Amino acid sequence: MRILIIEDDKDVASFIQSGLQQSGWNVDHADNGKDGLFLAATESYDALVVDRMLPAVDGLTVIRTLRASGIQTPVLVLSALGEVDDRVAGLKAGGDDYLVKPFAFSELSARLEALLRRSGEHGSTQATTVLNVADLKMDLLRRDVSRAATKIDLQPREFQLLEFLMRHAGQVVTRTMLLEGVWDYHFDPQTNVIDVHISRLRAKIDRDFDVPLLHTVRGVGYKLGGDTN
Amino acid sequence: MRLPSILRTGVFQLTMVYMALFGASVAALFIFTYWSTIGSIERQSDSVIEAEIRGLAEQYERRGLPGLVEIIRERVRRDTQGRSVYLFVDSSLRPIAGNMAYWPQELNRSSGLVSFFKINADGVQIPARARVLTVGQGYRLMVGREINELALINQDFRRALVWGIGLTMGLALAGGILMSLQAQRRIARLNRTTRQIIAGDLSRRVPTTGGRDEFEELTQNVNAMLDQIENLMAGLRHVGDSIAHDLRGPLTRLGNQLELLAAEAEPSREGLTMCAEQAEGLLATFNALLRISRVESGAYRSAFAELDLSGIVSDICELYHAAAEDERITFSSEIEPSIAVFGDRELLAQALTNLLDNAIKYTPQGGSIVVRLIQEADSACLEVADNGPGVPAKDRERVFERFARLDQSRSLPGNGLGLALVKAVAEQHGGTLEVADNSPGLIVSLKLPSKQP
């Protein structure tokens, strides 16, 4: 996997770069929009991490230009809190996800993985009506869930939560990602609100079965399913 | 060089304009007076001449040339003061009768009334006005009046005009200089104070005179503005101080722990994780601070839109319901449907989240939390009521300050920024935030205007 970071802040860039390299990624770095645009347009990357505020050419322009020239590489937009961090503007320009600085590295890596997975599954996701993780099965049309042929009753919100986890099976999802993806609110939940919903879901899908599927990843979030990379 | 600086003042320039206007109106007044007094006398005198001409022409018709000569002589004899002027000449301008020795050249120019200087036997020039009547073959009769008194009055009048305007201008100039000097002095006082303030002494105030004019009003407004700025600065400094104070503790602890870990041969994973968690907590505090100042800066206002507040409140209640139940707290909500406000969805959700975080944190097991959303006359009222320890009346204003943590809550986790953010959100939406006694417990009510502010 090859990632390009377009970020003018040297500290942030090297922090992301070393973190991703440790996880076995191949990482390039451009410290301004012009070089970044050139690299993104000429080289082949699996994902881009683009800062909004950049010298020469700003981040949103970079993304717009790439999209206009037909380059669909997934983009994670970074923005410092205190800038005009309008999420909508970032996504409208063609960004795929949005992360506000300062952020934990685990949050970035979880979101980046989700992006890569999404782009890898491109085409097949549209038609999916049934999700499977191990012996857990979700029928999106009939809106029912079963595990090892045992039907599981879920509240509507629990269903949405499980759907999100199943779509990101094998990946770490953070609490913020869950709040965004399931409840559609974009802030950091202070208390354990998400944890409580997860533990209720876990009670329904894991308690009566030998092999637990919903794992807590300490300090980061949750992961459904084993290491099926 | 005192004068040039005065000339540059706005007040003096205004004075100059007034001076010109004043001069012009005085001149207009003089001209009108002239026209209606001296002009009138002149016109009267002219009409006397006209009447005399008409009378003599009539006499000539009736009595012929000799009769006319006789009447002229009679008139000259009767005019003891010599104010009337008569001269009857033949075609070669030789005098036949009258009290003037020669025929003035000026009379040949016009057939109407003519002004000229009559030269007496002793060589004195006397201003006069006359008209000519032609009779018979080439005989001409001049009838006129001396107007030397009128001319004198005229001369006096003109002198008065010059002096009057001169004096008016002089007074206006002197007054203007005085006025602008005074205005300049007061403005200089204002400038001196503002310069001292720019130099950093915020405690300075412009001295007041106790008057009630616009300068005094300006002075008082400037002073009031300075009070406001000083208050804000003090508030800011207070915030800065408390940020420094409240972050120093955790940072010191973190530093100490890292130092200890660094001294160990094999740093424990547990210790490192703890440090990372502490750093994350600090980061969260900074983020909360940043978010508050961003809300206060009004940056979100441009994106305000009409929102379904009922929907947002239902969402967040649903999100928190489980968390409250896990703490064995009875959670209930009464939400009036379709209440709309103008605002930012995320901010309002965050505000309610903070209120619920607090409520869950302070409500003991077995307690209850009630969320209520009702439409009032011109505002939407969102209430979060709990039956926790509440807030003593004396602290109710303080809870909205940044890092305001009451003694009883020091032991609980939290950064003391939750309510400060809610307050900032309320204010940005043109609403209010209040805390009241729920006896026992606390009611926090957030009121938001229903219509676009």
Side-chain angles (χ1 to χ4, degrees):
Chain A
M1 287 289 181
R2 201 166 167 217
I3 309 280
L4 173 66
I5 302 167
I6 311 178
E7 162 69 88
D8 58 321
D9 185 324
K10 298 242 172 344
D11 292 338
V12 175
S14 72
F15 157 71
I16 301 173
Q17 193 164 13
S18 63
L20 290 175
Q21 275 164 349
Q22 269 176 34
S23 322
W25 309 70
N26 211 335
V27 186
D28 286 349
H29 171 224
D31 64 1
N32 66 72
K34 226 168 145 185
D35 294 352
L37 192 55
F38 177 76
L39 280 174
T42 51
E43 304 279 314
S44 160
Y45 292 100
D46 295 293
L48 308 178
V49 178
V50 181
D51 186 35
R52 266 196 74 159
M53 301 284 271
L54 288 170
V57 183
D58 79 275
L60 294 193
T61 310
V62 169
I63 301 166
R64 261 193 293 270
T65 313
L66 287 175
R67 294 296 184 248
S69 43
I71 296 167
Q72 295 302 329
T73 317
V75 174
L76 174 61
V77 186
L78 298 182
S79 154
L81 191 74
E83 283 171 19
V84 190
D85 54 352
D86 186 3
R87 184 180 304 275
V88 181
L91 299 184
K92 245 190 206 153
D96 296 274
D97 200 0
Y98 198 92
L99 191 55
V100 176
K101 286 195 250 179
F103 50 82
F105 178 75
S106 53
E107 186 75 39
L108 176 99
S109 106
R111 282 171 187 268
L112 213 45
E113 248 176 82
L115 277 189
L116 290 167
R117 191 70 59 98
R118 212 185 298 165
S119 72
E121 286 168 357
H122 234 289
S124 61
T125 43
Q126 306 308 99
T128 306
T129 58
V130 176
L131 299 171
N132 285 296
V133 176
D135 53 354
L136 186 65
K137 187 177 156 197
M138 171 179 272
D139 189 322
L140 292 169
L141 294 180
R142 287 163 52 201
R143 313 233 24 111
D144 66 20
V145 176
S146 59
R147 185 166 180 193
T150 313
K151 197 170 177 305
I152 298 170
D153 279 326
L154 292 180
Q155 300 291 319
R157 192 67 84 182
E158 289 166 345
F159 187 90
Q160 280 176 279
L161 188 55
L162 184 60
E163 182 187 337
F164 188 89
L165 288 165
M166 288 179 85
R167 284 193 188 278
H168 294 86
Q171 291 170 246
V172 178
V173 292
T174 65
R175 291 171 181 82
T176 319
M177 284 165 81
L178 286 171
L179 189 64
E180 283 178 21
V182 180
W183 281 271
D184 191 28
Y185 283 97
H186 304 83
F187 52 81
D188 291 327
Q190 291 295 309
T191 45
N192 56 345
V193 280
I194 303 293
D195 303 353
V196 177
H197 286 274
I198 288 287
S199 70
R200 294 196 169 194
L201 180 64
R202 180 178 277 149
K204 291 191 178 175
I205 63 169
D206 273 349
R207 195 174 53 201
D208 301 332
F209 304 90
D210 296 334
V211 186
L213 286 176
L214 188 44
H215 310 286
T216 300
V217 182
R218 194 153 174 246
V220 186
Y222 300 96
K223 189 162 118 177
L224 187 72
D227 295 309
T228 49
N229 242 354
Chain B
M1 290 301 280
R2 189 95 180 128
L3 208 62
S5 75
I6 292 168
L7 290 176
R8 266 185 282 114
T9 64
V11 180
F12 187 76
Q13 280 163 13
L14 207 64
T15 311
M16 294 306 279
V17 172
Y18 270 120
M19 201 171 89
L21 276 173
F22 216 76
S25 46
V26 167
L29 189 70
F30 268 98
I31 287 163
F32 178 73
T33 317
Y34 183 91
W35 183 79
S36 61
T37 55
I38 295 173
S40 165
I41 297 168
E42 263 176 11
R43 281 190 298 279
Q44 225 167 17
S45 144
D46 285 355
S47 65
V48 168
I49 294 170
E50 298 279 357
E52 182 73 359
I53 288 264
R54 271 198 304 279
L56 290 174
E58 211 172 286
Q59 292 291 334
Y60 171 74
E61 297 279 311
R62 287 219 316 256
R63 298 167 58 184
L65 214 56
L68 184 60
V69 171
E70 194 179 321
I71 286 166
I72 291 166
R73 286 192 178 134
E74 171 69 20
R75 292 273 159 93
V76 171
R77 207 167 34 247
R78 280 219 316 254
D79 180 37
T80 48
Q81 290 180 330
R83 304 294 296 277
S84 299
V85 181
Y86 295 95
L87 184 61
F88 191 46
V89 294
D90 61 16
S91 55
S92 49
L93 300 179
R94 265 196 304 266
I96 298 167
N99 56 3
M100 218 176 123
Y102 68 101
W103 183 261
Q105 289 303 306
E106 289 92 337
L107 292 180
N108 300 336
R109 268 184 240 139
S110 163
S111 61
L113 280 155
V114 176
S115 297
F116 65 97
F117 284 99
K118 171 187 163 196
I119 300 163
N120 276 6
D122 48 6
V124 177
Q125 287 194 349
I126 296 165
R129 242 168 115 69
R131 201 183 155 175
V132 174
L133 177 70
T134 309
V135 288
Q137 277 90 40
Y139 292 97
R140 277 188 276 180
L141 171 62
M142 174 191 76
V143 178
R145 287 180 76 80
E146 291 181 1
I147 52 166
N148 54 341
E149 281 176 7
L150 207 60
L152 281 177
I153 297 172
N154 213 328
Q155 210 177 342
D156 284 348
F157 203 94
R158 285 195 187 146
R159 198 180 302 128
L161 177 74
V162 170
W163 275 100
I165 291 180
L167 210 64
T168 309
M169 297 294 224
L171 279 173
L173 187 72
I177 290 172
L178 271 176
M179 267 166 63
S180 52
L181 269 179
Q182 207 199 348
Q184 207 191 23
R185 251 199 313 277
R186 300 179 74 170
I187 288 173
R189 263 209 304 266
L190 206 68
N191 278 332
R192 205 162 40 239
T193 311
T194 44
R195 267 195 301 272
Q196 280 164 338
I197 290 160
I198 292 166
D201 186 0
L202 249 183
S203 65
R204 298 296 305 197
R205 291 294 176 273
V206 186
T208 53
T209 55
R212 307 187 72 171
D213 58 0
E214 57 271 59
F215 271 111
E216 191 63 18
E217 201 182 329
L218 175 67
T219 304
Q220 279 165 9
N221 283 343
V222 167
N223 284 346
M225 185 179 79
L226 290 171
D227 287 344
Q228 179 80 4
I229 291 172
E230 204 182 6
N231 278 343
L232 285 171
M233 290 287 285
L236 217 61
R237 198 172 304 125
H238 173 72
V239 168
D241 286 352
S242 45
I243 289 173
H245 184 262
D246 279 78
L247 293 176
R248 195 174 48 189
L251 269 173
T252 312
R253 269 200 303 282
L254 180 59
N256 289 345
Q257 273 173 2
L258 284 170
E259 225 170 287
L260 286 174
L261 283 169
E264 285 172 23
E266 269 185 27
S268 73
R269 176 168 284 275
E270 197 184 336
L272 284 171
T273 312
M274 224 158 80
C275 287
E277 273 168 12
Q278 276 181 25
E280 211 167 291
L282 277 166
L283 204 62
T285 304
F286 274 114
N287 280 346
L289 278 170
L290 273 171
R291 187 163 289 119
I292 291 170
S293 27
R294 225 162 106 53
V295 170
E296 282 177 345
S297 76
Y300 288 93
R301 291 187 68 108
S302 57
F304 276 16
E306 192 166 323
L307 300 169
D308 173 22
L309 184 61
S310 304
I312 298 170
V313 175
S314 307
D315 281 353
I316 303 299
C317 283
E318 186 257 346
L319 182 65
Y320 272 79
H321 193 267
E325 276 183 355
D326 260 30
E327 301 284 332
R328 297 204 169 72
I329 295 167
T330 316
F331 187 97
S332 60
S333 57
E334 301 159 18
I335 301 165
E336 265 184 40
S338 51
I339 291 181
V341 292
F342 194 75
D344 184 278
R345 181 173 176 269
E346 301 294 331
L347 288 185
L348 291 173
Q350 175 94 63
L352 179 55
T353 304
N354 286 11
L355 294 180
L356 288 173
D357 276 334
N358 275 349
I360 289 177
K361 196 156 65 183
Y362 294 115
T363 305
Q365 288 200 351
S368 68
I369 295 173
V370 182
V371 176
R372 228 176 264 119
L373 177 66
I374 46 174
Q375 179 72 59
E376 292 185 340
D378 51 2
S379 63
C381 177
L382 174 62
E383 277 181 6
V384 176
D386 65 51
N387 54 8
V391 172
K394 64 176 169 63
D395 291 327
R396 283 195 194 133
E397 273 307 307
R398 211 162 63 81
V399 290
F400 300 129
E401 289 172 12
R402 290 175 178 81
F403 297 113
R405 303 208 56 200
L406 308 181
D407 295 334
Q408 52 188 355
S409 70
R410 291 248 173 239
S411 54
L412 289 166
N415 51 26
L417 292 172
L419 279 177
L421 179 73
V422 182
K423 179 84 172 169
V425 170
E427 279 169 0
Q428 282 305 307
H429 285 78
T432 56
L433 182 66
E434 276 164 21
V435 290
D437 196 1
N438 196 27
S439 48
L442 188 70
I443 290 190
V444 187
S445 30
L446 171 63
K447 285 193 180 156
L448 300 169
S450 310
K451 298 280 178 302
Q452 180 173 341

